[in-house]
Amino acid sequence: MFKALRITLLLLVLVFVAGTSWLTQARSTDWDDSLWVRIYPINGDGSMASSRYIDGLQRSQFEDIEAFVAREAARYGRDLALPVRVELGRPVGEQPPPLPDGRNMLAIAWWSLGMRWWAHRVASDQDNPAPDVRLFVRYHEPQANRLLESSVGLQKGMVGVVNGFAGRRNDGSNNVIIVHEFLHTLGASDKYDAANGLPLYPEGYGEPQREPRYPQRYAEIMGGRIAVADDEALIPRSLDYVVIGAATAAEIGLLP
């Protein structure tokens, strides 16, 4: 009897959590109200340069994100003045769980659960009220030819980890990555070839109907790069050179 009661209670909790998660995700893409996004800086490499940069961060450095989403939402007929509101949270002194190696689905699922629990634990003391989306941005000292770890955005839990560079000259490109991962939390899928990083045609191109096709002038946000030839693409310097394509707009509910 007691065991059956425990199982019943557990099932009820799981149903409640699943229902709450579904409602949150559904609300996040109805575009009826502003989505609240909070950015939590993390010193990703422990350097003094990253620490100084984080100390000087201002919310204004992320206003391009708000303007970009408002601009693109308007292109798809949404008239909400501020579709996304970005807040700057306090720095977090703990690193997120590292991504698992390979494609082991069980390991990835376990990491996802751990990531959501970690995000709640390290941010709960400043989440009153809680934001719709939590994005943890790990800053690293800019160095020549330095490759950063992959960034990631989770629709379940609506949380993301972004790896960027600590420098004002990198603010624009950092914001591109932040928006990319933010849209993952809303259900957008990648639109580039994982083997070479090149955007996929046509859904990963900013102007798929452009004639001649190359060079493209804009990147599609989930394609990630501006295609200038069949085998060459450039990282956009800022959100001024990025658009939300029709396929992505459909995934996140912007299309009527």
Side-chain angles (χ1 to χ4, degrees):
M1 174 70 73
F2 181 68
K3 182 178 180 180
L5 181 60
R6 284 198 325 179
I7 293 174
T8 300
L9 289 174
L10 177 59
L11 288 174
L12 288 173
V13 170
L14 290 174
V15 169
F16 174 78
V17 170
T20 301
S21 177
W22 182 86
L23 287 172
T24 300
Q25 291 173 13
R27 192 190 72 76
S28 71
T29 54
D30 62 18
W31 303 102
D32 290 334
D33 298 295
S34 296
L35 273 175
W36 289 78
V37 178
R38 185 167 290 149
I39 291 174
Y40 310 84
I42 298 176
N43 188 330
D45 58 3
S47 69
M48 289 299 298
S50 296
S51 181
R52 286 192 297 268
Y53 177 78
I54 289 172
D55 288 343
L57 271 177
Q58 302 291 325
R59 198 195 79 84
S60 59
Q61 290 168 248
F62 305 101
E63 288 178 349
D64 282 352
I65 295 172
E66 297 174 342
F68 169 78
V69 178
R71 182 191 80 205
E72 294 302 293
R75 285 205 308 119
Y76 289 101
R78 302 288 180 166
D79 59 2
L80 189 61
L82 193 63
V84 170
R85 172 72 178 177
V86 179
E87 295 180 340
L88 178 60
R90 298 193 302 273
V92 169
E94 184 179 327
Q95 301 298 322
L99 280 167
D101 295 328
R103 297 179 179 272
N104 185 303
M105 297 305 294
L106 182 60
I108 293 173
W110 185 251
W111 171 84
S112 175
L113 287 171
M115 179 63 209
R116 282 178 272 167
W117 167 246
W118 175 88
H120 171 75
R121 181 172 57 79
V122 301
S124 60
D125 66 333
Q126 56 176 304
D127 284 356
N128 187 22
D132 296 301
V133 181
R134 298 183 178 102
L135 296 175
F136 298 87
V137 182
R138 302 175 69 232
Y139 289 102
H140 303 75
E141 182 177 6
Q143 295 177 4
N145 301 318
R146 182 173 192 171
L147 295 177
L148 298 179
E149 298 174 38
S150 297
S151 299
V152 63
L154 299 176
Q155 186 176 15
K156 290 185 177 180
M158 302 187 72
V159 61
V161 176
V162 175
N163 287 289
F165 287 114
R168 291 302 297 262
R169 69 176 59 185
N170 303 109
D171 284 354
S173 56
N174 286 342
N175 283 344
V176 173
I177 303 172
I178 289 170
V179 172
H180 180 100
E181 302 307 333
F182 162 62
L183 294 187
H184 270 315
T185 73
L186 303 187
S189 62
D190 284 323
K191 295 172 180 64
Y192 61 84
D193 187 334
N196 55 29
L198 294 174
L200 298 172
Y201 182 82
E203 64 270 23
Y205 279 47
E207 300 174 296
Q209 306 305 321
R210 180 175 170 82
E211 293 292 343
R213 183 178 299 174
Y214 304 111
Q216 293 277 300
R217 295 177 298 176
Y218 303 100
E220 201 284 329
I221 184 62
M222 304 310 293
R225 298 189 181 194
I226 304 170
V228 295
D230 277 331
D231 58 354
E232 185 180 1
L234 306 176
I235 298 174
R237 296 193 303 271
S238 75
L239 290 166
D240 290 338
Y241 303 95
V242 181
V243 297
I244 294 177
T248 298
E251 289 173 333
I252 64 175
L254 276 180
L255 282 177

